[in-house]
Amino acid sequence: MSTITPEILTAHNVTADEYGKILSILGREPNLTELGIFSVMWSEHCSYKSSRVHLKKLPTRSKYVLLGPGENAGIIDIGDGIGIAFKIESHNHPSFIEPFQGAATGVGGILRDIFTMGARPIAVMDSLRFGPLDEPRSRRILEGVVSGIAHYGNCFGVPTVGGECVFDKSYSGNPLVNVFALGVIDKDKIFKGQAHGVGNPVIYVGAKTGRDGIHGATMASDEFTEESKQKRPNVQMGDPFLEKLLLEACLEAMHTGAVVGIQDMGAAGLTCSTCEMGSRAGTGIEIDLGKVPQRETGMSPYEIMLSESQERMLLVADKGREKEIFDVFEEWGLDAAEIGIVTDDGVLRVRNHGEIVAEIPNRELADEAPIYNRPFTKPARKAPMEAPAYTAGDAKDELKKLLASDNICSKRWIYEQYDYTVRTNTTLGPGSDAAIVRIKGTETAVAMALDGNGRYCSLDPREGAKLGVAEACRNLSTVGAEPVAATNNLNFGNPQRPEIMAQLVEAIEGMADACTHFDTPITGGNVSLYNETLGEGIYPTPVMGIVGLMKNAAPVPMRFQSEGKSVLLVGGYREASKAHFGGTQYADTIVGSTWGLPPALDMDYEKRVHQAIREIVRPGLVESSHDLSDGGLAVALAESSFGGIGARIALPASETPEIQLFHEAPSRILVSTANAAAVVEVAKKHNVDVVEIGVTIQGRVVVDKLIDATIEELHEPWSTSLEKRLHA
């Protein structure tokens, strides 16, 4: 009689067909430990079984890319013998169940992805999505997530230099917590997660193993139900102080030359690290769980193999040099235990005090998960194509309402909880178009931007994904950086629904087109599916993390600096019809509806705007530079004025002034300058429109007869709204 029942398979999210493949691989029935190992490694979270077919469409190579997808993080070459390792990961499901620990361990996990490569982390960013702030649950989740990110990053000692935070009812039952990290590495000292060298010892280092996080990867590959709140044991518990010690110990151990390979124990814990290291190297690994440091008594092999306890790493050492590694970890006060050996048979063999409790071929486990080319139809969308009847109101009042809205108001309450200057590398931090960190010992600085717009993607996933890539590249170019590489986080609903799978396919294809066009290959990333609660999916939300390079110099500010300077719109007004107005913040906040299509993007023109603005910013031709995005021209004018210097603007007459003021067409950057002719000349060279629209003035924002407001009138709702709504 079989011990693996249909009920057990269902509890492990293993289908009948997948179980048949397991039987074929093993040639026998698995025991419960083996089934658990297969279930986490073949989960959506670990295997990308629904997305891998389409991820192959993404560009992954360029002259900058040293290491692309397949390792813990991608690495690019920035010159001077230095590389930059970076990646973005999600911790969406855990952050819904336990916001503080879910977000905190998301930070811890992405930091380990960076330093397992041999890189020292120097920056973190986060892309967050929550339900509306008038929902008590959304406020609770927001406060927990922000506290968790701040706690882990601040205690670890890495600056959280920027990001984005969006509120929408689409995320009420399924918040998104995507965390990006970046580190610096000597490009000739890159470490990989590979178990080379038959006979080499396998060494466990870091925290002891507990029962937290068991089935975390499986949970992250399923929809939320009413029972999901009972899954708190699936959420890992983090210790940033221990991780800081682990960072220093790992880097020191790497410098001894005794480390052959190293892998973070992240999703799927000891299971993932062992089988992936063996599979990449074409070797086997044999371990004995009786030698694994444990903080709880009576743990079963199943629990030890599936635990996702944090702050743990797996090393393969050069045989005969084990003592060098043990000495390093003893110096830092951390556990280090030899738990196994590299073998030549390609098998993951797990013993418990000598008794074999699991025996699975590594390659089949790590790389032969079922690949699904799931059927897809047309992308799901609920919004109508036609605009509803609405009447535009007073433009000044509407601008103030937009500035106070959840998505445009100041996020200072969030980022002031983060230490964004620790390590003294940050030259441009939160609240800017892009973050910038200098690379000490070089003349190079690295700029970073995170962008994604779920509302745009809900109207057209392909175009919405392109717009996300374009905006991130534009943000980098606005501060003078050249975009060179990207990482992505694909947040979608249930891929088994053809209309949701269509969203994923179109977004990936749109992203591939845009990343190819803007020369920003994908070096790695994350796919987070099943972001649904009670059958209601989130907006399709691809998030782009794009990295740019520039000379280390004082960054151009986004705010106007002095009176009497020309205000120019690089890129021009750009056209926008009512059909392309339905995805804007104005449509959502003022009209209270969404319709039509996202803003129209001309990628050739957008790229020329990037080239022009970099050539304008780098030699200091402008005093300020700020790209137009959420809220369009009117919001950009207000944000550029919040330093005390405003502007008087004249616009062409229009029958739809609300579209003119608030449309969100891309490829536009607002600048102020004492040398308008020079700016025009550069723009003209790149065949880019530039319009002189006004002049900077003291203390007010004036737009024809449409808007006349003091800066304080506009700043007050923008700066205070978030805290007021949180504490209402």
Side-chain angles (χ1 to χ4, degrees):
M1 181 177 176
S2 173
T3 57
I4 305 298
T5 65
E7 291 75 21
I8 290 175
L9 292 179
T10 298
H12 286 78
N13 279 1
V14 174
T15 69
D17 286 344
E18 289 170 350
Y19 186 58
K21 186 170 182 177
I22 292 170
L23 294 175
S24 176
I25 289 170
L26 295 179
R28 56 177 172 79
E29 183 179 271
N31 60 39
L32 187 61
T33 298
E34 291 170 327
L35 180 67
I37 289 171
F38 272 108
S39 76
V40 292
M41 288 306 300
W42 287 10
S43 68
E44 196 74 63
H45 188 75
C46 290
S47 72
Y48 295 175
K49 57 190 176 185
S50 295
S51 58
R52 192 180 295 187
V53 167
H54 302 285
L55 293 174
K56 293 178 181 178
K57 302 170 184 176
L58 295 169
T60 59
R61 296 180 180 179
S62 78
K63 65 180 181 180
Y64 291 100
V65 176
L66 290 173
L67 194 64
E71 279 288 343
N72 292 285
I75 302 178
I76 61 170
D77 186 347
I78 68 167
D80 297 313
I82 294 174
I84 293 294
F86 64 97
K87 192 182 181 185
I88 190 169
E89 283 273 4
S90 64
H91 235 217
N92 302 336
H93 288 66
S95 298
F96 173 79
I97 295 171
E98 185 59 64
F100 181 92
Q101 288 294 349
T105 53
V107 175
I110 194 65
L111 289 172
R112 288 194 302 280
D113 280 341
I114 298 303
F115 71 76
T116 191
M117 306 301 298
R120 179 175 292 277
I122 63 168
V124 164
M125 300 178 79
D126 50 69
S127 177
L128 311 176
R129 302 289 189 281
F130 305 102
L133 280 171
D134 55 12
E135 298 175 354
R137 180 173 65 181
S138 295
R139 295 197 297 270
R140 177 184 63 81
I141 293 174
L142 165 67
E143 290 174 339
V145 164
V146 171
S147 295
I149 292 171
H151 168 71
Y152 209 101
N154 294 353
C155 294
F156 181 86
V158 63
T160 302
V161 296
E164 57 170 6
C165 183
V166 174
F167 301 90
D168 189 277
K169 61 185 177 182
S170 157
Y171 308 105
S172 292
N174 217 121
L176 303 183
V177 177
N178 295 178
V179 185
F180 167 101
L182 178 144
V184 180
I185 187 171
D186 290 337
K187 70 178 188 179
D188 59 350
K189 296 178 181 176
I190 296 172
F191 283 81
K192 298 180 180 180
Q194 300 179 2
H196 287 292
V198 173
N200 279 338
V202 175
I203 299 174
Y204 171 117
V205 300
K208 291 179 169 63
T209 294
R211 289 189 170 92
D212 54 324
I214 294 173
H215 274 303
T218 307
M219 176 195 69
S221 307
D222 199 8
E223 299 178 24
F224 281 130
T225 64
E226 292 289 2
E227 290 74 39
S228 292
K229 290 183 180 180
Q230 306 305 316
K231 295 184 178 179
R232 279 188 170 82
N234 293 136
V235 178
Q236 309 92 326
M237 308 291 284
D239 182 345
F241 298 107
L242 193 151
E243 177 133 329
K244 174 63 173 173
L245 298 177
L246 185 62
L247 160 72
E248 301 298 344
C250 285
L251 293 182
E252 187 174 328
M254 292 172 182
H255 290 157
T256 67
V259 175
V260 173
I262 180 169
Q263 172 91 348
D264 162 39
M265 289 191 219
L270 190 55
T271 289
C272 183
S273 55
T274 48
C275 72
E276 286 190 350
M277 289 184 78
S279 180
R280 290 184 188 127
T283 58
I285 286 185
E286 180 173 313
I287 60 172
D288 193 321
L289 300 181
K291 300 176 181 179
V292 171
Q294 298 167 45
R295 69 168 183 261
E296 299 183 44
T297 59
M299 290 187 70
S300 68
Y302 179 99
E303 291 174 320
I304 297 170
M305 288 300 293
L306 270 61
S307 168
E308 294 183 9
S309 293
Q310 296 290 283
E311 292 86 44
R312 302 180 301 160
M313 308 285 276
L314 196 69
L315 280 66
V316 172
D318 196 5
K319 185 173 178 59
R321 301 187 66 182
E322 301 92 329
K323 186 176 184 303
E324 295 175 58
I325 292 176
F326 291 136
D327 287 347
V328 168
F329 282 88
E330 182 179 2
E331 172 194 341
W332 288 97
L334 296 173
D335 279 315
E338 184 175 338
I339 65 168
I341 192 170
V342 178
T343 64
D344 63 0
D345 60 6
V347 172
L348 171 62
R349 186 171 294 104
V350 183
R351 297 180 182 272
N352 189 34
H353 298 284
E355 178 188 354
I356 294 177
V357 293
E359 209 166 17
I360 305 171
N362 261 331
R363 186 181 61 79
E364 284 82 353
L365 178 59
D367 298 322
E368 295 298 321
I371 302 297
Y372 295 120
N373 194 352
R374 296 195 185 276
F376 54 92
T377 52
K378 291 184 177 181
R381 65 170 283 157
K382 296 180 180 179
M385 289 301 297
E386 297 298 321
Y390 72 88
T391 302
D394 179 81
K396 174 180 169 180
D397 290 342
E398 290 178 340
L399 174 57
K400 289 168 69 175
K401 188 173 181 180
L402 278 171
L403 291 169
S405 65
D406 292 355
N407 291 333
I408 293 180
C409 71
S410 170
K411 304 305 186 293
R412 181 179 294 273
W413 178 87
I414 295 175
Y415 65 71
E416 281 195 338
Q417 298 184 51
Y418 305 151
D419 186 340
Y420 48 86
T421 61
V422 64
R423 301 190 63 80
T424 68
N425 294 314
T426 309
T427 59
L428 195 61
S432 308
D433 288 326
I436 304 175
V437 293
R438 65 191 176 101
I439 306 302
K440 290 177 180 175
T442 77
E443 296 182 356
T444 301
V446 175
M448 300 155 277
L450 292 187
D451 280 293
N453 192 311
R455 191 184 305 109
Y456 289 173
C457 290
S458 73
L459 300 176
D460 187 326
R462 184 182 298 269
E463 291 303 310
K466 290 180 183 179
L467 285 160
V469 176
E471 182 172 357
C473 290
R474 187 167 64 252
N475 282 331
L476 295 174
S477 298
T478 298
V479 299
E482 179 185 1
V484 296
T487 179
N488 61 359
N489 213 130
L490 304 176
N491 305 278
F492 290 81
N494 185 343
Q496 297 179 54
R497 293 166 54 191
E499 70 277 14
I500 300 299
M501 191 65 206
Q503 292 177 335
L504 176 63
V505 172
E506 295 230 344
I508 289 174
E509 291 178 353
M511 185 181 297
D513 288 346
C515 286
T516 299
H517 193 84
F518 296 115
D519 302 314
T520 53
I522 302 290
T523 63
N526 176 251
V527 180
S528 175
L529 304 180
Y530 296 96
N531 289 290
E532 298 198 2
T533 297
L534 302 178
E536 190 69 26
I538 62 166
Y539 277 158
T541 311
V543 173
M544 297 303 305
I546 301 189
V547 170
L549 302 180
M550 60 191 293
K551 289 293 184 183
N552 194 23
V556 61
M558 62 186 285
R559 292 177 177 169
F560 300 139
Q561 298 297 299
S562 60
E563 297 178 69
K565 301 303 184 291
S566 298
V567 177
L568 281 68
L569 195 53
V570 176
Y573 292 114
R574 308 300 290 164
E575 294 184 5
S577 67
K578 189 163 285 191
H580 291 279
F581 193 53
T584 62
Q585 289 291 337
Y586 184 96
D588 184 60
T589 302
I590 306 299
V591 182
S593 182
T594 301
W595 70 86
L597 298 168
L601 173 67
D602 178 336
M603 290 199 295
D604 287 332
Y605 188 78
E606 176 81 31
K607 191 171 185 177
R608 295 201 304 274
V609 170
H610 299 173
Q611 292 165 339
I613 195 64
R614 290 197 298 268
E615 197 171 324
I616 289 166
V617 166
R618 286 173 175 173
L621 297 182
V622 294
E623 287 190 353
S624 67
S625 177
H626 181 30
D627 92 304
L628 272 61
S629 55
D630 291 346
L633 176 59
V635 167
L637 279 167
E639 291 174 338
S640 296
S641 300
F642 287 156
I645 302 295
R648 184 181 302 276
I649 302 300
L651 300 177
S654 173
E655 294 181 1
T656 53
E658 78 281 7
I659 294 181
Q660 190 177 47
L661 286 169
F662 302 111
H663 82 79
E664 296 174 5
S667 315
R668 300 184 297 161
I669 299 163
L670 190 69
V671 303
S672 62
T673 179
N675 193 349
V679 174
V680 171
E681 183 179 351
V682 173
K684 185 177 180 180
K685 184 176 79 172
H686 292 280
N687 196 21
V688 165
D689 295 334
V690 60
V691 183
E692 188 166 350
I693 61 174
V695 63
T696 56
I697 61 175
Q698 184 71 40
R700 301 189 76 81
V701 174
V702 182
V703 183
D704 293 326
K705 296 181 180 180
L706 298 171
I707 298 171
D708 188 348
T710 66
I711 291 175
E712 183 54 36
E713 279 183 274
L714 303 178
H715 185 265
E716 195 278 336
W718 175 82
S719 63
T720 62
S721 177
L722 182 59
E723 284 191 71
K724 285 179 179 177
R725 288 173 63 74
L726 277 173
H727 302 122

